[in-house]
């Protein structure tokens, strides 16, 4: 066997090198490469055991006895929605999120809810002393819950402790970056340690049937720190998002072997911990100034749940050679596209204007169906005519200026109607799907119809697009 020299691993992405270098070729990070123990197990490799004859095992058919994975609901509806109905025994979830976003708070509340149902729940904190965890539980009014608590970081000790008595229903490891294993020489927090510890804990989950949640730190650019391989090893990856300026938090699944990945759970951070938000639309429309020009409401979907959000636009004459385009909560290239379509097919001239677009409340909208709402806000701001306050918008805008059909129209309309909206702009192509709603439906075919409806004129041709800018 070839002799192995020291090994160097990138602490951001886990790439392995035989010698040190300043920049990681794999992820481009500077100064992220550190020396690690030479005999640390490499992904998919590790020390080769002596050759032995393989054991013959039975192969099975696809058809056979299997039941829907049994689940342990946490009792927190917004959390269960994201996991797909509860924790699956033997599964491992990696929960990422910015520091201070509320991961520990969420998991403490979930632990307490489950423990209160009589399940065994163990909360291992590698970051805080038990007194701190207890203090938080007290603040959350959960001090009486029978959650078993420890501040530990050694994986072997943790697994030995967990293996005593009957297997817990849920084990929280807060966080995986603080864990270390005796079997690995590297320092805690290094890729090798994180990977090795995760492996051991995953093996424990699979053999004992306990659900394990690993908390993972997030790097500056939003990746879960440590090797990406941990994301591949676990059954589900969830992230807890939100920004410091807003009090709501969103739990989102990025990968889920046992459930959907397009569902979100919405929470509100209060003085008494995280509160579930059963009606997020009302939260995102809170404090809306519907009478000013430049705002419109988008009837969106997050997974199977409709979500109404407000788009705000400011179109202001620019003093710059190249006008500013700034967008928060939406895709900048989509904004450029909508602007180009408004100019070419909507008869508007936006070239000399600075344009700002914001999704109110700090939500990030990714659906193409939001095009119409963004366009409505832009048209409204440019023409200084407010859109009706009780109107919602939905529709994708094509490069030809057509409003393209979108999905799940009834659910969107129903939500709008529930929140007191009276009319909706939808693409003409989707009109058959807009059955019974109680809403006044305006079916538009092109972006020209949208411009006309807001500016109040016939299909406007105020400016003929002229590439020479005459
Ligand atoms: P925490 O769960 O410790 O975050 P994480 O584990 O993701 O780092 O949450 C810490 C933040 O939450 C802290 O800034 C204070 C705030 N918080 C509240 O506003 N209310 C509460 O009841 C609790 C427990 C925390
Ligand atoms: Mg924490």
């Amino acid at each position: 066997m070839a002799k192995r020299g020291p090994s160097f691993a990138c602490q951001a992405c886990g790439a392995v090198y035989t010698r040190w270098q300043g920049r990681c070729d794999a992820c481009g990070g500077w100064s992220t490469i550190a020396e690690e123990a030479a005999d640390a197990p490499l992904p998919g490799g590790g020390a080769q055991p002596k050759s032995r004859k393989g054991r013959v095992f039975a192969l099975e058919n696809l058809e056979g006895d299997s039941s829907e994975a049994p689940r342990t609901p946490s009792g927190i509806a917004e959390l269960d929605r994201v996991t797909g109905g509860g924790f699956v025994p033997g599964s491992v979830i990696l929960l990422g999120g910015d520091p201070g976003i509320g991961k520990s708070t969420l998991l403490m509340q979930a632990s307490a809810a489950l423990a209160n149902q009589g399940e065994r729940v163990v909360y291992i904190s590698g970051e805080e002393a038990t007194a701190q965890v207890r203090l938080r539980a007290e603040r959350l009014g959960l001090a009486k819950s029978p959650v078993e608590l420890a501040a530990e970081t050694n994986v072997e000790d943790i697994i030995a402790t967990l293996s005593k008595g009957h297997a817990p229903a849920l084990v929280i490891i807060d966080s995986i970056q603080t864990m270390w294993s005796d079997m690995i020489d590297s320092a805690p927090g290094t890729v090798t340690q994180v990977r090795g510890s995760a492996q051991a804990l995953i093996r424990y989950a699979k053999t004992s049937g306990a659900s394990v949640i690993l908390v993972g730190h997030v790097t500056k650019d939003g990746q879960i720190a440590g090797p990406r391989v941990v994301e591949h090893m676990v059954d589900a990856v969830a992230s807890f998002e939100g920004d410091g300026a807003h009090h709501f938090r969103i739990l989102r699944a990025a990968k889920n072997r046992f459930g959907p990945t397009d569902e979100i759970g919405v929470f509100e951070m209060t003085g008494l911990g995280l509160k579930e938000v059963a009606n997020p639309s009302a939260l995102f429309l809170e404090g809306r100034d519907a009478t000013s020009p430049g705002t419109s409401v988008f009837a969106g979907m997050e997974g199977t749940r409709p979500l109404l959000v407000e788009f705000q636009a400011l179109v202001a004459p620019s003093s710059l050679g190249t006008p500013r385009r700034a967008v928060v909560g939406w895709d900048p290239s989509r904004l450029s596209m909508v602007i180009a379509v408004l100019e070419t097919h909507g008869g508007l001239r936006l070239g000399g204007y600075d344009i700002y677009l914001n999704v109110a409340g700090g939500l990030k909208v990714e659906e193409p169906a939001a095009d119409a709402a963004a366009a409505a806000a832009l048209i409204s701001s440019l023409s200084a005519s407010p859109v009706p306050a009780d109107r919602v918008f939905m529709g994708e805008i094509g490069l030809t200026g057509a409003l393209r059909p979108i999905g799940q129209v009834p659910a969107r309309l129903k939500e709008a109607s529930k929140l007191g909206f009276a009319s909706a702009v939808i693409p003409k192509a989707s009109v058959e799907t807009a059955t019974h709603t109680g809403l006044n439906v305006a079916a538009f075919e092109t972006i020209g119809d949208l411009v006309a409806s807001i500016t109040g004129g016939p299909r406007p041709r105020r400016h003929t697009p002229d590439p020479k800018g005459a």
Side-chain angles (χ1 to χ4, degrees):
M1 227 165 91
K3 189 171 154 276
R4 295 255 305 275
S7 152
F8 297 85
C10 170
Q11 303 301 306
C13 73
V16 179
Y17 298 90
T18 49
R19 59 187 183 81
W20 188 88
Q21 58 192 62
R23 182 169 184 268
C24 172
D25 296 332
C27 69
W30 287 97
S31 302
T32 54
I33 294 171
E35 182 171 354
E36 296 203 353
D39 50 1
L42 298 176
Q48 295 291 321
K50 281 196 214 78
S51 77
R52 68 172 178 97
K53 226 169 164 182
R55 177 180 58 85
V56 177
F57 55 85
L59 299 168
E60 294 180 36
N61 292 331
L62 275 178
E63 195 183 25
D65 271 351
S66 64
S67 43
E68 173 68 12
R71 292 178 183 270
T72 319
S74 65
I76 299 179
E78 294 292 305
L79 175 61
D80 290 340
R81 178 199 294 279
V82 175
T83 55
F87 304 116
V88 176
S91 71
V92 181
I93 298 174
L94 179 64
L95 176 69
D98 289 333
I101 203 77
K103 300 179 295 295
S104 306
T105 307
L106 175 69
L107 293 177
M108 178 47 73
Q109 289 182 241
S111 302
L114 212 58
N116 286 341
Q117 295 171 35
E119 304 279 2
R120 183 177 176 213
V121 180
V122 181
Y123 191 110
I124 309 281
S125 178
E127 299 191 339
E128 296 163 292
T130 39
Q132 282 174 289
V133 180
R134 217 176 270 139
L135 220 63
R136 176 187 291 113
E138 229 161 78
R139 201 138 74 81
L140 297 170
L142 301 171
K144 294 258 177 317
S145 303
V147 176
E148 296 170 45
L149 196 63
E152 258 308 325
T153 52
N154 181 279
V155 176
E156 280 76 27
D157 295 349
I158 291 171
I159 292 177
T161 309
L162 293 176
S163 305
K164 244 179 64 195
H166 72 278
L170 181 66
V171 179
I172 311 283
I173 306 288
D174 189 1
S175 64
I176 187 67
Q177 272 85 7
T178 56
M179 296 293 137
W180 63 280
S181 163
D182 292 327
M183 323 289 261
I184 299 165
D185 277 342
S186 315
T190 54
V191 184
T192 321
Q193 277 290 4
V194 170
R195 188 167 54 214
S197 307
Q199 235 155 20
L201 289 162
I202 291 168
R203 209 172 317 119
Y204 166 76
K206 301 290 173 215
T207 51
S208 68
S211 304
V212 175
I213 299 183
L214 308 174
V215 174
H217 290 174
V218 164
T219 58
K220 279 198 295 294
D221 47 356
Q223 304 280 4
I224 291 176
R228 294 306 296 266
V229 284
V230 175
E231 290 187 28
H232 297 293
M233 287 151 57
V234 297
D235 297 302
V237 179
S239 60
F240 204 39
E241 304 165 355
D243 66 52
H246 295 100
H247 44 98
F248 74 87
R249 303 280 184 269
I250 290 179
L251 183 66
R252 205 185 278 278
K255 158 183 173 180
N256 193 349
R257 287 190 184 142
F258 303 111
T261 51
D262 53 1
E263 294 288 355
I264 61 167
V266 184
F267 298 88
E268 190 180 348
M269 183 59 97
T270 70
L272 292 171
L274 290 158
K275 221 176 74 202
E276 295 179 62
V277 177
N279 186 356
S281 298
L283 178 72
F284 289 115
L285 294 181
E286 210 170 71
R288 183 165 76 103
D289 177 9
T291 52
S292 309
T295 71
S296 68
V297 175
F298 167 50
M301 295 293 294
E302 285 285 348
T304 57
R305 173 154 60 174
L307 186 60
L308 266 49
V309 286
E310 183 189 1
F311 272 72
Q312 302 175 336
L314 180 65
V315 178
S318 179
S319 53
L320 304 169
T322 312
R324 272 190 68 101
R325 308 279 191 242
V327 46
V328 179
W330 204 46
D331 181 2
S333 51
R334 272 215 93 87
L335 174 66
S336 308
M337 196 202 79
V338 168
I339 291 172
V341 175
L342 279 172
E343 292 196 322
T344 318
H345 300 288
L348 304 186
R349 183 120 95 212
L350 294 157
Y353 292 92
D354 287 334
I355 294 179
Y356 304 90
L357 189 80
N358 175 37
V359 177
L363 194 75
K364 231 182 132 43
V365 174
E366 277 162 17
E367 263 193 295
D371 292 353
L378 292 171
I379 300 164
S380 163
S381 176
L382 179 71
S383 64
S385 28
V387 303
D390 57 358
R391 170 164 275 201
V392 294
F393 294 84
M394 63 196 89
E396 184 181 345
I397 293 172
L399 288 180
T400 58
L403 281 190
R404 296 170 43 77
I406 54 167
Q408 293 166 296
V409 175
R412 299 173 197 263
L413 293 177
K414 214 163 125 206
E415 176 79 358
S417 157
K418 206 168 81 190
L419 281 153
F421 286 85
S423 71
V425 167
I426 71 169
K428 195 159 190 183
S430 293
V431 82
E432 289 109 75
T433 58
T435 46
H436 153 79
T437 55
L439 247 74
N440 216 331
V441 170
F444 288 175
E445 213 169 345
T446 66
I447 194 147
D449 299 339
L450 189 66
V451 174
S453 80
I454 295 170
T455 55
R459 276 189 55 153
R461 279 281 158 217
R462 291 180 307 167
H463 314 281
T464 340
D466 178 356
K468 288 188 278 305

